[in-house]
């Protein structure tokens, strides 16, 4: 079967931003102007095409990344609309892992917001070229130039304006195209009718100044263009776009556009910019991986004739077709019914069906090619991050890393009959969402669900009831505390059992010492003289890591500890892997008790926007919640923005509290920052009273 879309005219892009910056609204306009839909759905009305989940429509937010395909100027544009809420940052992470370019959307009033920075860092991590779109230019307080300045200051990027707004706030009429030096004025409510005219005289000086800056940025990417620029020669429109494109693809600059998506102004030029400035799969470096047989580096370029390689970047449960696995095909082609090798799990699997997705609607495909983003049915055992490839030319691509959960709730079935349904439903949702974890509490027998925030767990429990028809009782949210140590200690652990036959014998001496925050648990072997045979060292590490899942203060996981094996004793007959695994766990627990153990709690970065006349009340409430205010700055519209660090345990119910103290006019966003020691008086209420070890 022949390729339907030319690879050099393909764009795989994501729409990413802070919550409520207008991602989904912009995507809806893109679908409308490209002819993909014939009526624009509105987020506020719960009718947006890309927000298809019931929970998204009710809350007016994007929860899951949705994929679609449209066409503009003979180009195929594959789009992933990502969530803006920090609780669903996993959707952004795994989307950016497979995308070639990003449209970063900023609110013209709020500018660079916390999740904007998070998304930007994620794009930096994967080296994804991007353009910026300053949305909501029609809103009161909109300021394009302030957003440009904030991008340069807070994101550290070279933001190059390729457009200027023609008016702003209620007077916003369209945009000034600095490449063509034309004003684009929109004439109708749907944004279909517009005219090009000369730039108003009042804007000419400003437009010339910004055009000069744009020309300089474009010229710096090419010697020929720089020579023209230095000698004052006029560049053609094609040369300017070529220079801007080269700069964007090399991360030397970020072209910045503007508009008002809700008012249908500025979206068509944004589509032009996606085609002009973002890369095709041929313009990004070949994907890198390793040969799982030799561990040697290998690469795969975007070519249909290369061996097939694809990354499973998202798993979703569809009640009609079963498990959907979203794939980015990096090389080769994949056909319906083909057998492929899962190099992550070292298994063979068969592709049942191939689908091109349009939100929750599906189009059957017979074959998919390099550079495409599709979904597959039949890969029931595939997980997020798995590599699918040719058995004869295996490759293992870099997987995707996800943050640890910070909040938990207990959940138990309403009846015994519901128990099996609940377990199966949680298993299905955990397969979809790598940031959702679950385990059974050994004391209460309850299932504990852990996630990224209150909203995340609220959505999960709502889906359990609606999609899986599971009746369950949900407990109150709990903080995902951690345990660590402040000192260094050495301890011995042993497991000696003598029975009628062969016994068990293992002795281990371990040293534990603290690591930096976020350093994890590291196991080192520094034994000498063969005091512990090599075959017993892995079981000792297993015992340590198993013991670290439940600390000695309050049973929370132990983190940021370096564990060093320094000595051991063996028995010629009775030593075994089991004995050393048990001895390793015992030595680890004993050493923890002597190493000044402490509790850690998740600290959240919070940004609160409130009316200036209510700032005192908001600050007072934050102080009562153990928050550390790091900055206060004036914002548009007689509001104040407060930046602070707040313990997650003290942030429960903050939405209601803020609503009360600001009479419903305050808003906030919150995301995980780091772990810190719990104050002693708080720790005493968490650690069981029979512990005598010190706490922070």
């Amino acid at each position: 079967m022949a390729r339907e879309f030319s690879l050099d005219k393909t764009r795989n892009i994501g729409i990413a931003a802070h919550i409520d910056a207008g991602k989904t609204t912009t995507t809806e306009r893109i679908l409308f102007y490209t002819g993909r839909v014939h009526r624009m759905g509105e987020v506020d009305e719960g009718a947006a095409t890309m927000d298809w989940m019931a929970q998204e429509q009710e809350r007016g937010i994007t929860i899951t990344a949705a994929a679609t395909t449209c066409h503009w100027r003979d180009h195929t544009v594959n789009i992933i609309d990502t969530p803006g809420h920090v609780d669903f940052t996993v959707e952004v992470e795994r989307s950016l892992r497979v995308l070639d370019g990003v449209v970063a959307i900023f609110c013209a009033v709020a500018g660079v917001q916390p999740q904007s920075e998070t998304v930007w860092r994620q794009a930096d991590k994967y080296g994804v070229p991007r353009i910026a779109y300053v949305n909501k230019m029609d809103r009161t307080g909109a300021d394009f130039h302030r957003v440009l300045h904030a991008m340069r200051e807070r994101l550290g990027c070279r933001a190059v304006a390729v457009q200027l707004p023609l008016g702003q706030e209620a007077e916003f009429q369209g945009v000034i195209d600095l490449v063509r030096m034309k004003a684009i004025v929109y004439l109708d409510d749907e944004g279909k009718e517009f005219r090009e005219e000369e730039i108003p005289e009042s804007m000419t000086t400003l437009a010339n100044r910004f055009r000069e800056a744009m020309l300089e940025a474009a010229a710096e990417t090419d010697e020929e263009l720089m020579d023209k620029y230095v000698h004052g020669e006029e560049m053609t429109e094609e040369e300017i776009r070529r220079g801007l494109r080269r700069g964007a693809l090399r991360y030397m600059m970020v072209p910045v556009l503007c508009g008002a998506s809700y008012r249908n102004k500025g979206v068509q030029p944004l589509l032009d910019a996606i085609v002009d400035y973002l890369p095709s799969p041929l313009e990004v470096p070949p994907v890198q991986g390793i040969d799982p047989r030799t561990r040697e580096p290998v690469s795969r370029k975007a070519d249909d004739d290369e061996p097939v390689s694809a990354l499973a970047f998202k798993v979703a449960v569809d009640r009609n077709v079963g498990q959907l696995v979203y794939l980015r095909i990096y090389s080769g082609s994949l056909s319906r019914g083909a057998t492929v090798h899962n190099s992550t799990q070292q298994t063979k699997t068969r592709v049942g069906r191939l689908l091109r997705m349009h939100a929750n609607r599906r189009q059957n495909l017979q074959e998919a090619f390099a550079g495409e983003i599709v979904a597959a049915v039949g890969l029931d055992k595939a997980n997020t991050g798995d590599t699918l490839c040719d058995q004869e030319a295996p490759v293992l691509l870099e997987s995707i890393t996800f943050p640890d959960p910070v909040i938990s709730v207990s959940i138990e079935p309403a009846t015994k009959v519901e128990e099996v349904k609940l377990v199966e439903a949680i298993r299905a949702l955990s397969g979809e969402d790598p940031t959702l974890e679950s385990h059974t509490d050994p004391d209460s027998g309850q299932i504990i669900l852990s996630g990224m925030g209150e909203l995340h767990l609220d959505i999960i429990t709502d889906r359990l009831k609606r999609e899986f028809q599971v009746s369950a009782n949900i407990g109150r949210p709990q903080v995902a505390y951690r345990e660590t140590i402040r000192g260094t200690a050495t301890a011995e652990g042993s497991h000696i059992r003598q029975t009628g036959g062969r016994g068990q014998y293992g002795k281990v001496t371990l040293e534990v010492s603290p690591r930096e925050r976020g350093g994890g648990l590291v196991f080192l072997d520094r034994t000498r003289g063969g005091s512990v045979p090599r075959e017993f060292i892995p079981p000792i590490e297993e015992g340590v890591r198993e013991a670290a899942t439940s600390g000695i203060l309050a049973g929370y996981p132990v983190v940021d500890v370096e564990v060093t094996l320094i000595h051991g004793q063996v028995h010629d007959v009775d030593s075994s892997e089991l004995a050393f695994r048990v001895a390793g766990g015992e030595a680890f627990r004993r050493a923890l008790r002597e190493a000044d153990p402490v509790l850690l709690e998740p600290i959240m970065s919070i940004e609160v926007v409130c009316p200036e006349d209510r700032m005192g009340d908001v600050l007072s409430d934050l102080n009562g919640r153990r928050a550390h205010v790091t900055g206060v700055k004036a914002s548009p519209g007689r509001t104040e923005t407060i930046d602070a660090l707040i313990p997650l345990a003290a942030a429960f119910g903050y939405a209601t509290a803020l609503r009360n103290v600001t009479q419903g006019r305050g808003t906030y966003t919150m995301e995980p920052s780091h772990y810190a020691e719990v104050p002693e008086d708080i720790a005493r209420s968490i650690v069981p009273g029979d512990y005598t070890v010190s706490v922070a």
Side-chain angles (χ1 to χ4, degrees):
M1 180 180 173
R3 170 187 283 277
E4 186 179 353
F5 310 122
S6 170
L7 199 55
D8 65 326
K9 292 190 174 182
T10 297
R11 302 289 183 268
N12 294 315
I13 66 149
I15 310 290
H18 187 90
I19 190 171
D20 201 34
K23 296 177 303 302
T24 302
T25 299
T26 302
T27 306
E28 288 295 316
R29 272 59 184 171
I30 287 174
L31 297 180
F32 178 73
Y33 295 127
T34 57
R36 193 67 179 81
V37 299
H38 301 292
R39 179 181 177 275
M40 288 180 278
E42 300 299 348
V43 175
D44 294 342
E45 297 170 4
T49 305
M50 304 300 282
D51 284 350
W52 56 270
M53 292 176 62
Q55 293 83 0
E56 293 177 315
Q57 294 168 354
E58 290 172 358
R59 291 167 170 81
I61 62 171
T62 301
I63 292 170
T64 183
T68 190
T69 299
C70 57
H71 304 279
W72 185 256
R73 281 173 40 191
D74 296 325
H75 285 68
T76 298
V77 183
N78 298 314
I79 301 173
I80 297 181
D81 177 30
T82 65
H85 198 287
V86 67
D87 283 16
F88 309 106
T89 189
V90 59
E91 296 287 339
V92 184
E93 182 81 19
R94 57 187 175 188
S95 298
L96 288 175
R97 170 65 178 82
V98 299
L99 291 170
D100 300 329
V102 166
V103 177
I105 298 182
F106 299 91
C107 173
V109 180
V112 178
Q113 297 168 277
Q115 189 65 4
S116 308
E117 295 185 69
T118 301
V119 169
W120 203 266
R121 288 195 302 270
Q122 289 171 310
D124 284 340
K125 174 181 175 182
Y126 294 113
V128 184
R130 66 217 76 156
I131 60 176
Y133 175 68
V134 181
N135 191 25
K136 302 189 178 183
M137 285 304 308
D138 60 318
R139 294 286 185 90
T140 302
D143 190 332
F144 178 77
H145 303 286
R146 186 179 66 243
V147 179
L148 273 181
H149 179 73
M151 288 180 64
R152 293 163 184 154
E153 289 292 312
R154 296 182 63 172
L155 304 179
C157 70
R158 185 177 184 180
V160 177
V162 296
Q163 291 179 352
L164 290 178
L166 188 60
Q168 60 187 39
E169 298 184 341
E171 303 301 317
F172 181 68
Q173 306 171 57
V175 298
I176 294 173
D177 184 340
L178 296 176
V179 176
R180 295 185 299 141
M181 287 301 279
K182 292 288 185 181
I184 302 172
V185 180
Y186 289 85
L187 306 174
D188 67 328
D189 291 339
E190 280 197 342
K192 283 185 171 182
E193 295 183 21
F194 54 87
R195 69 168 179 261
E196 293 184 1
E197 55 187 44
E198 295 303 313
I199 299 171
E201 190 174 334
S202 60
M203 295 283 293
T204 303
T205 302
L206 185 67
N208 284 330
R209 181 161 63 86
F210 273 87
R211 176 179 166 83
E212 190 67 20
M214 178 193 70
L215 292 176
E216 181 181 355
E220 288 177 3
T221 67
D222 184 279
E223 286 186 15
E224 181 183 336
L225 293 183
M226 178 55 77
D227 188 60
K228 272 193 168 188
Y229 178 75
V230 169
H231 291 90
E233 297 179 31
E234 191 69 29
M235 296 184 208
T236 66
E237 292 177 13
E238 183 181 345
E239 288 174 330
I240 296 170
R241 292 193 183 96
R242 189 181 75 214
L244 293 172
R245 179 184 186 82
R246 187 179 289 113
L249 267 55
R250 294 177 181 175
Y251 325 122
M252 296 168 63
M253 70 175 77
V254 178
V256 184
L257 300 90
C258 58
S261 296
Y262 186 70
R263 300 297 176 194
N264 309 315
K265 293 179 172 69
V267 178
Q268 295 96 325
L270 174 61
L271 275 162
D272 288 335
I274 289 170
V275 169
D276 290 337
Y277 305 132
L278 291 179
S280 75
L282 294 173
E283 295 171 299
V284 297
V287 68
Q288 302 297 314
I290 60 170
D291 187 325
R293 301 166 300 186
T294 64
R295 313 308 290 181
E296 292 293 321
V298 294
S299 64
R300 292 281 189 271
K301 61 182 179 180
D303 189 330
D304 297 344
D305 296 326
E306 286 261 310
V308 65
S309 64
L311 184 73
F313 68 94
K314 177 180 169 71
V315 176
V317 176
D318 188 298
R319 302 308 295 261
N320 297 315
V321 300
Q323 179 170 290
L324 281 174
V325 179
Y326 286 74
L327 303 171
R328 164 65 192 264
I329 303 176
Y330 284 102
S331 64
S333 62
L334 200 59
S335 57
R336 178 175 179 172
T339 299
V340 291
H341 178 62
N342 186 324
S343 59
T344 306
Q345 301 184 24
Q346 290 298 309
T347 58
K348 285 185 180 180
T349 186
R350 184 176 177 274
V351 180
R353 293 168 61 193
L354 283 173
L355 307 168
R356 179 165 288 121
M357 300 300 295
H358 177 53
N360 63 330
R361 296 194 286 277
R362 302 172 292 274
Q363 173 192 347
N364 283 301
L365 301 173
Q366 291 299 319
E367 193 169 8
F369 299 89
E372 294 196 67
I373 294 175
V374 295
V377 179
L379 309 177
D380 294 339
K381 300 220 176 134
N383 296 319
T384 300
D386 283 2
T387 301
L388 303 180
C389 60
D390 189 324
Q391 173 78 44
E392 302 304 317
V395 62
L396 184 61
L397 304 177
E398 181 186 356
S399 190
I400 310 171
T401 56
F402 301 106
D404 293 328
V406 297
I407 187 172
S408 304
V409 294
S410 60
I411 183 169
E412 55 186 4
T415 65
K416 196 70 177 173
V417 178
E418 298 282 326
E419 187 170 356
V420 175
K421 286 175 62 179
L422 177 61
V423 171
E424 290 178 352
I426 291 175
R427 186 182 298 118
L429 291 175
S430 298
E432 278 192 26
D433 187 347
T435 60
L436 178 68
E437 296 181 0
S438 65
H439 70 276
T440 302
D441 188 295
D443 297 324
S444 66
Q446 293 176 315
I447 296 174
I448 306 298
L449 282 181
S450 301
M452 299 305 298
E454 289 184 88
L455 179 60
H456 183 204
L457 293 179
D458 183 42
I459 296 294
I460 291 296
T461 53
D462 188 51
R463 291 185 65 191
L464 284 171
K465 294 174 182 177
R466 290 199 197 190
E467 293 179 33
F468 297 90
Q469 286 83 50
V470 174
S471 299
N473 301 317
I474 313 298
R476 295 181 61 186
Q478 301 172 359
V479 177
Y481 291 103
R482 296 289 185 264
E483 298 183 20
T484 191
I485 55 175
R486 289 188 292 197
T488 300
T490 303
E492 180 183 281
S494 63
H495 182 64
I496 302 173
R497 295 286 185 273
Q498 294 299 328
T499 60
R502 180 177 174 178
Q504 297 285 343
Y505 188 97
K507 280 190 177 182
V508 170
T509 303
L510 298 176
E511 179 186 83
V512 296
S513 56
R515 303 192 78 219
E516 71 281 358
R517 290 288 174 268
L521 188 146
V522 174
F523 181 87
L524 303 174
D525 170 30
R526 292 202 178 134
T527 55
R528 295 183 179 179
S531 61
V532 179
R534 310 306 303 170
E535 65 267 23
F536 293 140
I537 293 175
I540 295 172
E541 181 176 356
E542 288 176 18
V544 168
R545 294 193 179 277
E546 185 178 323
T549 61
S550 179
I552 55 111
L553 287 177
Y556 293 105
V558 179
V559 296
D560 305 340
V561 174
E562 184 174 288
V563 184
T564 305
L565 174 63
I566 57 178
H567 190 63
Q569 291 183 23
V570 296
H571 188 279
D572 291 340
V573 177
D574 292 344
S575 288
S576 66
E577 291 186 359
L578 172 63
F580 276 96
R581 187 168 71 245
V582 175
E586 181 182 334
F588 179 68
R589 285 187 288 269
R590 287 183 175 178
L592 288 181
R593 292 180 182 275
E594 304 299 323
D596 197 8
V598 293
L599 272 183
L600 300 176
E601 63 180 343
I603 304 298
M604 312 297 284
S605 174
I606 188 171
E607 182 184 81
V608 184
V609 180
C610 64
E612 59 182 19
D613 61 329
R614 295 287 173 176
M615 187 176 71
D617 295 332
V618 173
L619 288 172
S620 177
D621 182 72
L622 285 172
N623 289 332
R625 294 172 180 270
R626 298 194 283 131
H628 170 62
V629 176
T630 57
V632 178
K633 59 181 179 290
S635 300
R638 298 178 64 83
T639 61
E640 298 284 342
T641 298
I642 302 168
D643 294 312
L645 297 172
I646 184 171
L648 177 60
F652 290 151
Y654 186 66
T656 302
L658 181 63
R659 193 180 304 119
N660 290 337
V661 299
T662 64
Q663 297 179 335
R665 294 181 290 158
T667 61
Y668 78 97
T669 55
M670 189 165 62
E671 63 180 350
S673 174
H674 62 281
Y675 271 83
E677 293 182 17
V678 181
E680 182 174 348
D681 57 331
I682 305 295
R684 290 292 177 193
S685 66
I686 301 169
V687 177
D690 57 341
Y691 281 97
T692 56
V693 291
S694 65
V695 293

